[in-house]
Amino acid sequence: MQRKLGYISFLVIIGTLILFVSSSLRHLLFKSNALDLALFDQWVYLISQNLPPISSFFGFHVVGDHAAFILYPISLLYKIHPSEYWLFLVQAFGLAFGCLPIYLLSLQAGLSIPYSRAISLSYLLYPALFNSNFFTDFRPESIAVPALLWAMWAAIEKCTYQFFFAIGLVLICKDSLSLTVIAFGVWLLLQHRRVYGLGCIIIGLSWYIFTIGYLTPLLRGGQAGGVVFYASLGSSPKEIIINILSNPNLILGKFLSPNALFYYFLLLLPVIIGLHWKQILFLIPALPMLLLNIISDYAPQRDLVHHYSLPIFPFIIVWLIYSIKEYQQENKRRWLKPKILIISATVCFLALAKYDFFITRYLPNLPNLPSLYTAVSLVKTKESVLTTVNMAPHLAKRQIIKLISKDRPSEKYNDVFKYILLDLINNKSEFVPDLIYQLKNNSTFKLVYEADDVFLFVKV
């Protein structure tokens, strides 16, 4: 067994390393964003320091952001050393680790070791996995990806404790994943795993009602997170659900829109060469998140660049596993060898993965790095900071950090912020054009650094 897992262990290590280096390089080039990296970094830092985990960006408690309780155990890493690179490492390992349950699911389905290895590599080469890691900084639901796959393996293997532990891990990553758990329960019932299926449905529904119906609105002082993306369907989760159920024509057009059809194509393309329609029921657990992405007013939910496809694509890979099994039983597609799967996955990765962002979007910032790093190094204390979106992820470990806004007059900065750090090169549109002039003539602040359109003001 050790020999069998040696190849997968190698994939996990290499995958983790590539994903970690990619996101770290983006951050080092000052191309990470306040939302979401600085947001999560501040929350995890405050938890690790036993301070109230209240976001100074949004003004609400960490649990108010999709009930992401997973950030509490992650904060233990910050007690070793507070660094945002822990978030990159946790995400990279979580996403790469998913190839292990994929491998075990393949063997469990009766596939040979070469096929199991090829499908595991296809998982790592799935473009949405790389893109979400490289483009969206950090998302707690990345940890749910291997947990969902592990839960599927444990349910089929009848490993009860492992199954419910994995389901619990999924739920504490993001409140809306309770819908995935409910749909997973439906799939398990169809697979004659009645105890596991009913358990998922009951636990998922209870978690949905508790978090989305009560906890997150309470801590946010309003609706649950993400409702704004569905404004055309309603102003609350309850209203959205009622409108969907009572007026299906309202969303039918969205399901058949050109954008939606192209999204389906993108999701399936990386593995379409091996899919069999008879095994499409393995997509049932992915349907809630797919539905939410399709009906959303927010277009980035329908691409392979952002993180919104993370709870969907693992089940597409499982569909691939059982499709290969189906073809073998039917004695069809005998040409579909492991090498063909790997070549197809590689070609799709090269076509759809956004590794080119490193050259087209991130690397051009290289000449500005000395000025940016010097300015950040001059922020000596943990006192309050006002800054721009690309600087915030490097300064988020404090109780008060806010983003510059066109709506706030410069005289209102006087009593709030110790530091004002501005990068005009990358963020010129974020504030009024004469703000630098106003601050230079504000007796409350002193200009302590200026180079390459990077300015640092400190309260005197």
Side-chain angles (χ1 to χ4, degrees):
M1 187 66 177
Q2 287 181 339
R3 184 181 176 186
K4 292 180 181 179
L5 293 180
Y7 175 82
I8 299 303
S9 300
F10 175 76
L11 284 186
V12 171
I13 293 171
I14 294 300
T16 300
L17 182 62
I18 293 173
L19 295 174
F20 175 71
V21 169
S22 299
S23 54
S24 296
L25 282 175
R26 179 175 187 258
H27 180 60
L28 288 168
L29 290 169
F30 278 80
K31 286 300 181 178
S32 51
N33 288 305
L35 308 178
D36 294 311
L37 181 57
L39 178 68
F40 287 116
D41 186 35
Q42 183 188 39
W43 269 328
V44 176
Y45 170 76
L46 293 175
I47 294 171
S48 72
Q49 300 300 308
N50 300 316
L51 295 169
I54 307 295
S55 165
S56 59
F57 296 107
F58 292 145
F60 55 73
H61 193 277
V62 59
V63 178
D65 185 64
H66 300 295
F69 288 97
I70 190 66
L71 297 178
Y72 280 88
I74 291 176
S75 72
L76 297 176
L77 297 171
Y78 273 53
K79 289 184 178 292
I80 300 172
H81 176 69
S83 172
E84 62 272 24
Y85 291 95
W86 284 119
L87 300 181
F88 297 147
L89 182 60
V90 167
Q91 176 166 273
F93 177 73
L95 291 173
F97 186 78
C99 70
L100 175 58
I102 285 292
Y103 180 74
L104 295 177
L105 280 163
S106 301
L107 293 178
Q108 189 181 61
L111 299 185
S112 66
I113 290 177
Y115 274 107
S116 301
R117 289 176 173 177
I119 295 173
S120 299
L121 185 56
S122 298
Y123 162 87
L124 284 178
L125 289 172
Y126 194 89
L129 184 150
F130 178 84
N131 292 346
S132 63
N133 176 82
F134 193 39
F135 185 73
T136 55
D137 296 321
F138 172 78
R139 297 297 307 182
E141 54 264 45
S142 61
I143 303 167
V145 170
L148 285 166
L149 293 168
W150 197 270
M152 180 169 282
W153 174 86
I156 298 173
E157 203 70 19
K158 297 183 179 180
C159 297
T160 304
Y161 293 117
Q162 293 186 48
F163 171 77
F164 283 107
F165 175 81
I167 291 298
L169 187 58
V170 171
L171 291 174
I172 64 173
C173 288
K174 190 174 184 178
D175 50 11
S176 60
L177 288 175
S178 55
L179 298 174
T180 300
V181 170
I182 293 171
F184 189 35
V186 173
W187 177 82
L188 287 168
L189 289 179
L190 295 176
Q191 299 297 313
H192 309 292
R193 296 289 193 273
R194 185 173 301 176
V195 173
Y196 299 123
L198 290 175
C200 275
I201 293 172
I202 294 171
I203 294 171
L205 184 59
S206 300
W207 192 251
Y208 178 89
I209 294 171
F210 173 64
T211 56
I212 295 179
Y214 170 73
L215 186 61
T216 55
L218 174 68
L219 295 175
R220 294 173 73 101
Q223 291 293 346
V227 175
V228 66
F229 295 153
Y230 305 91
S232 64
L233 296 173
S235 58
S236 69
K238 181 179 179 180
E239 187 175 333
I240 291 170
I241 292 172
I242 291 174
N243 283 334
I244 291 174
L245 295 177
S246 62
N247 189 7
N249 291 330
L250 193 64
I251 62 171
L252 184 59
K254 293 190 175 186
F255 276 101
L256 300 177
S257 69
N259 285 338
L261 294 175
F262 186 61
Y263 180 49
Y264 305 146
F265 173 72
L266 288 177
L267 285 171
L268 300 181
L269 181 60
V271 293
I272 198 169
I273 192 173
L275 295 180
H276 196 301
W277 66 270
K278 287 185 179 180
Q279 299 300 327
I280 198 171
L281 289 182
F282 282 94
L283 277 188
I284 288 176
L287 292 182
M289 292 301 108
L290 180 62
L291 169 66
L292 289 178
N293 290 349
I294 293 301
I295 67 175
S296 172
D297 302 329
Y298 186 51
Q301 286 189 229
R302 294 177 293 278
D303 62 35
L304 298 190
V305 179
H306 297 78
H307 61 278
Y308 300 101
S309 298
L310 284 179
I312 298 172
F313 89 87
F315 298 105
I316 296 177
I317 303 297
V318 176
W319 181 13
L320 174 65
I321 292 173
Y322 283 87
S323 293
I324 299 296
K325 178 183 179 181
E326 184 74 25
Y327 283 125
Q328 289 181 349
Q329 291 175 342
E330 294 177 347
N331 198 26
K332 294 180 179 179
R333 294 201 185 183
R334 286 178 289 180
W335 52 266
L336 193 57
K337 304 298 183 182
K339 186 179 294 185
I340 299 298
L341 289 174
I342 294 173
I343 293 173
S344 175
T346 302
V347 170
C348 288
F349 177 85
L350 294 174
L352 299 176
K354 299 302 179 182
Y355 50 85
D356 61 297
F357 281 6
F358 182 75
I359 297 174
T360 59
R361 298 191 182 191
Y362 306 153
L363 208 55
N365 211 34
L366 196 59
N368 305 322
L369 291 187
S371 301
L372 296 171
Y373 276 106
T374 300
V376 168
S377 69
L378 294 174
V379 180
K380 300 291 187 181
T381 70
K382 295 293 185 182
E383 294 176 87
S384 56
V385 171
L386 177 72
T387 190
T388 50
V389 292
N390 67 314
M391 306 294 277
H394 298 264
L395 295 164
K397 297 172 188 64
R398 62 193 69 242
Q399 284 189 283
I400 300 177
I401 178 170
K402 289 184 177 292
L403 300 179
I404 198 78
S405 170
K406 288 184 177 181
D407 301 327
R408 189 194 299 264
S410 63
E411 59 269 15
K412 290 192 176 182
Y413 300 151
N414 296 1
D415 300 325
V416 180
F417 301 104
K418 174 68 176 180
Y419 302 96
I420 299 179
L421 177 55
L422 306 175
D423 172 18
L424 266 66
I425 293 290
N426 296 297
N427 306 275
K428 193 170 292 184
S429 63
E430 291 183 21
F431 39 84
V432 294
D434 61 342
L435 177 61
I436 300 299
Y437 174 80
Q438 294 175 21
L439 289 170
K440 285 182 176 179
N441 289 277
N442 188 330
S443 59
T444 305
F445 291 96
K446 178 183 178 181
L447 178 63
V448 299
Y449 183 76
E450 176 182 356
D452 300 325
D453 279 339
V454 177
F455 299 84
L456 176 62
F457 296 88
V458 181
K459 185 184 290 186
V460 294

